[in-house]
Amino acid sequence: MAQWNKNTQDYLNNGRTLFEAVMIADKDGNILNTTGSASNIPIAAGDVSGYSHINKFGATDGDVTAGTVWDGNSGTTAYPYPANGVISITGTDTGEAVEVQGLDASGNVQTETVNVGSSGALTFSRIFRARMVSTDNAADVVINQGGSLAATILAGLGQTLMAVYTIPAGKTGYLLKLELGSDKASTNTAMNYRLFARPSGGAFNIKGNFNAAGGQSLTIDYPVPLKFDALTDIKIDVAAGQSTQVSATFDIVLVDN
């Protein structure tokens, strides 16, 4: 990038000094002039090529003492990560459409719409979100992957609550923020929240350990984001001193490799 020196009336990089500037531009080549969280708005709008964002939010199905923060946990249930398979959906809202979001057998992002009471045609390796397409669900909707529980839409909510995610193939994930909370008073229980990550072909390793009193909310910011490679599984687990409902949210920016 050439820079002009008004004192010498010459370019600074004219064989003497070389300057290099790194800037973020939108997909049309326009330089973004925002800073801080405002600079993420073009990413959310899809205006920055090669960048995207996902907000994952989860909660337990009532009071729990352990397990993963997701709506399939009503006691101590960890997220099961079922084997690759087609999806089938059960519930009393027969015929209503459900959009299932996840990854295919190669780890690429995949979406399929399947009616309650039916099975899909595509093979999923991960499911990280499902939502009702045109109506709320009067009762729980259960999404199975290869015959095993993978997701649940609790009655009346219209969408899953799953604090789990897997970085898609061909992308790197950067974790920006965690938000954690429970619904019991501080006099009743102590809370321990744990951020786990599992690289492809590896084992789950703890990446963050956070303690709080019951009923206390925590916000964990990462000024330098945590980096996760493609196909890394990410989940939020909890251990509570007394049964309590738990919620967790995290934000990840995805960058094309």
Side-chain angles (χ1 to χ4, degrees), residues 198-231:
R198 177 174 60 185
S200 178
F204 273 113
N205 305 133
I206 193 165
K207 299 300 180 181
N209 189 77
F210 313 101
N211 295 309
Q216 178 182 359
S217 295
L218 297 179
T219 298
I220 313 297
D221 289 306
Y222 291 95
V224 179
L226 297 187
K227 177 186 174 183
F228 297 107
D229 294 331
L231 304 183

Side-chain angles (χ1 to χ4, degrees), residues 115-204:
N115 293 340
V116 177
S118 300
S119 296
L122 303 178
T123 297
F124 280 78
S125 62
R126 294 288 187 271
I127 291 173
F128 51 73
R129 179 168 289 162
R131 68 178 187 91
M132 304 299 296
V133 173
S134 58
T135 183
D136 290 339
N137 51 315
D140 289 359
V141 171
V142 176
I143 299 98
N144 291 301
Q145 176 183 312
S148 298
L149 176 65
T152 300
I153 304 176
L154 298 178
L157 298 187
Q159 185 163 306
T160 50
L161 291 164
M162 305 171 68
V164 299
Y165 186 66
T166 301
I167 306 298
K171 298 182 183 294
T172 300
Y174 295 90
L175 179 65
L176 303 178
K177 176 179 284 190
L178 289 172
E179 293 179 315
L180 311 162
S182 65
D183 70 344
K184 289 293 189 293
S186 60
T187 55
N188 290 339
T189 188
M191 302 298 302
N192 176 230
Y193 303 95
R194 296 167 179 170
L195 167 65
F196 281 99
R198 177 174 60 185
S200 178
F204 273 113

